[in-house]
Amino acid sequence: MSKNEMCCMRCNHELCASRVQIFSELNKEELGRVVSLITRKHYSKGELIIIEGSTLDNLIIINSGQVKIFRNTQEGKEQILYVFTEGDFFGEKNLIKNQVATFNVEALEDTNICMIKKSDFQTLLRKFPDISLKIMEELSNRLDKLESTIQKMGTRNVEARVNAVLLEFANKYGKHDARGILVDLPLSREGIANYIGLTRETISRKMSLLMDEGIIEMVGYKKIIIKNIQALEQSIE
Amino acid sequence: MSKNEMCCMRCNHELCASRVQIFSELNKEELGRVVSLITRKHYSKGELIIIEGSTLDNLIIINSGQVKIFRNTQEGKEQILYVFTEGDFFGEKNLIKNQVATFNVEALEDTNICMIKKSDFQTLLRKFPDISLKIMEELSNRLDKLESTIQKMGTRNVEARVNAVLLEFANKYGKHDARGILVDLPLSREGIANYIGLTRETISRKMSLLMDEGIIEMVGYKKIIIKNIQALEQSIE
DNA sequence: CGCCTCATTGAAGAGTATCAAAAACTGTGG
DNA sequence: CCACAGTTTTTGATACTCTTCAATGAGGCG
């Protein structure tokens, strides 16, 4: 490995740690200490990063790329719980309890991750209580999100669920544009279906309806342009 | 207030703090410090403890009784997110972020709560990092639970949802008995429906089916006896 | 004991799942 | 740059299940 690459990897490490919300309260020196604990790893699109039931004793932070977190239902379909992207982390569940992974993680595109050993991270938490507060904040955000998801799933309003997902992706991946908000969809129709508990056919139909109404426009299968974001927002509350 | 009552209230305080998982790592002296920060309050059955949109700058721990945490859907129905009981806490969401309550809390029966001011609690967290770890653990558990809920709601399997709720209540409130597991239902049929996103009629029908199959037995409206818990467990996974 | 509330049961209707087939897209190779 | 093959998506018809609306029945509590 050349000196140049070494440097580059270190840069990425720094980037990784500093870009992550949970380390945002640390100063440069402290950040350096965190970086020294990090191991880096690359996964190609489609690769499984974590398999349900395997031991997981690292906190894992996504440096670049994106992943889906999912479980398998009885019928063998996958239930997607989260789509995570740069700066998101997972594995915190096992920091205290010694338990195996309760979910699978798969790279949706080429993805670089940073890992911190559980024991190292615990030391870090005791040394910098503010990191704990940040993590609690993030966990609270996730709870918020899941609570909202449940609320949406509770209502029989299927349109609201579909619109909510499109809005979520628009917030995460949308780019403003003369024509509206251009969104690179991270999931296929089937993936979206597995995310919100519907079938791929229903997703197709609902999206076609949105197109007929002029609210969205499709650019191939993998991109959409949101022409009328207010309409989507209104429908979900 | 008589001296006797004073004493009693202090006892309850101690009880409150020591019974709560998140303080389980503290020794007696530290616990005393926590207790001194606690304010106590009583609510009667049906009373609202928190209203969505109000400011909430306390961590609230349930000392005795039980409450439901819910939001209102667009259609005015309530979506129940949690049923909390002795030892459970809420309000941690607002410890860092300054935000208003995103949910309502109502006493399902006569309930005593303990409150710790946000600022006091933050000091506590910085002084005892282990409390943070405990809270993270509890938040993780809640995430787990919600993720499972979503998974169940994602599958179109309505029976599984109903059975899962009955099992949840059996774990929380069930008492073993010669006839099976006697469960005091904390929610009415409509409440259960609002918890898992169905209608009260559907709950009735599904429970009647379970009775026909001999899996449960109803004792009035508010109690059930689970005769065959394996059947329930199998159905959900 | 009687009233009021909550739960159960029945019938009809609405909406999504399922099954099947056609159409559109993606990306590879010439 | 175009054509082709494989995959993904869209569209259509039918079936199933839950919701809705309505009426009856059972419990809880004064």
Side-chain angles (χ1 to χ4, degrees), chain A residues 72-90:
Chain A
N72 292 310
T73 65
Q74 296 127 298
E75 305 106 37
K77 276 173 63 177
E78 58 185 44
Q79 174 63 48
I80 297 175
L81 296 167
Y82 304 97
V83 176
F84 281 159
T85 185
E86 284 96 349
D88 288 327
F89 64 89
F90 58 88

Side-chain angles (χ1 to χ4, degrees), chain B residues 207-221:
Chain B
M207 284 180 68
S208 294
L209 277 178
L210 288 173
M211 205 165 71
D212 293 345
E213 293 167 335
I215 295 172
I216 66 170
E217 199 171 286
M218 298 193 203
V219 185
Y221 290 150

Side-chain angles (χ1 to χ4, degrees), chain B residues 176-210:
Chain B
H176 283 270
D177 178 290
R179 297 164 298 174
I181 304 170
L182 182 68
V183 184
D184 245 289
L185 298 175
L187 299 173
S188 66
R189 299 290 181 274
E190 182 156 24
I192 296 173
N194 290 336
Y195 193 21
I196 57 178
L198 299 170
T199 59
R200 56 174 178 275
E201 293 96 332
T202 300
I203 303 293
S204 267
R205 282 186 250 264
K206 295 304 177 191
M207 284 180 68
S208 294
L209 277 178
L210 288 173

Side-chain angles (χ1 to χ4, degrees), chain A residues 26-73:
Chain A
L26 302 185
N27 64 35
K28 204 157 185 187
E29 190 204 325
E30 293 164 343
L31 215 53
R33 203 131 39 123
V34 173
V35 168
S36 70
L37 300 172
I38 287 178
T39 313
R40 201 158 163 270
K41 207 159 174 187
H42 174 86
Y43 290 89
S44 302
K45 179 176 175 173
E47 260 190 287
L48 270 172
I49 299 173
I50 306 286
I51 301 175
E52 195 172 349
S54 63
T55 56
L56 171 57
D57 43 21
N58 287 288
L59 180 86
I60 296 177
I61 301 166
I62 299 174
N63 190 6
S64 70
Q66 54 189 352
V67 304
K68 66 177 174 186
I69 314 274
F70 65 99
R71 296 183 180 179
N72 292 310
T73 65

Side-chain angles (χ1 to χ4, degrees), chain A residues 136, chain B residues 59 91-97 118 121-122 125:
Chain A
M136 278 168 51
Chain B
L59 180 86
E92 81 292 338
K93 210 172 284 178
N94 303 339
L95 281 178
I96 300 152
K97 295 180 287 185
K118 180 176 149 171
F121 196 67
Q122 280 183 354
L125 287 180

Side-chain angles (χ1 to χ4, degrees), chain B residues 61-231:
Chain B
I61 301 166
I62 299 174
N63 190 6
S64 71
Q66 54 188 353
V67 305
K68 66 178 175 187
I69 314 275
F70 65 98
R71 295 182 182 181
N72 292 311
T73 65
Q74 295 128 298
E75 304 105 36
K77 275 172 65 175
E78 57 184 45
Q79 174 64 47
I80 296 175
L81 296 168
Y82 304 97
V83 176
F84 281 158
T85 184
E86 284 96 347
D88 289 326
F89 64 89
F90 58 88
E92 81 292 338
K93 210 172 284 178
N94 303 339
L95 281 178
I96 300 152
K97 295 180 287 185
N98 259 323
Q99 63 173 25
V100 295
T102 55
F103 48 78
N104 304 283
V105 181
E106 183 185 318
L108 290 170
E109 52 184 55
D110 285 19
T111 296
N112 290 301
I113 63 166
C114 296
M115 303 190 295
I116 304 179
K117 263 199 305 191
K118 180 176 149 171
S119 51
D120 287 341
F121 196 67
Q122 280 183 354
T123 313
L124 223 49
L125 287 180
R126 292 217 166 75
K127 210 170 292 173
F128 305 113
D130 281 333
I131 297 180
S132 295
L133 293 181
K134 284 285 171 192
I135 291 184
M136 278 168 51
E137 188 174 356
E138 170 60 22
L139 294 182
S140 287
N141 286 339
R142 274 185 214 173
L143 278 170
D144 259 343
K145 192 184 154 297
L146 289 185
E147 284 164 6
S148 297
T149 302
I150 288 176
Q151 189 180 17
K152 264 169 240 137
M153 290 179 99
T155 66
R156 215 114 295 283
N157 194 340
V158 169
E159 277 84 3
R161 276 198 252 175
V162 176
N163 295 353
V165 175
L166 295 183
L167 278 174
E168 181 188 332
F169 291 154
N171 284 331
K172 267 191 174 171
Y173 310 112
K175 281 172 199 126
H176 283 270
D177 178 290
R179 297 164 298 174
I181 304 170
L182 182 68
V183 184
D184 245 289
L185 298 175
L187 299 173
S188 66
R189 299 290 181 274
E190 182 156 24
I192 296 173
N194 290 336
Y195 193 21
I196 57 178
L198 299 170
T199 59
R200 56 174 178 275
E201 293 96 332
T202 300
I203 303 293
S204 267
R205 282 186 250 264
K206 295 304 177 191
M207 284 180 68
S208 294
L209 277 178
L210 288 173
M211 205 165 71
D212 293 345
E213 293 167 335
I215 295 172
I216 66 170
E217 199 171 286
M218 298 193 203
V219 185
Y221 290 150
K222 301 196 150 180
K223 288 179 190 179
I224 61 171
I225 297 169
I226 298 180
K227 311 290 278 186
N228 184 353
I229 196 159
Q230 288 85 7

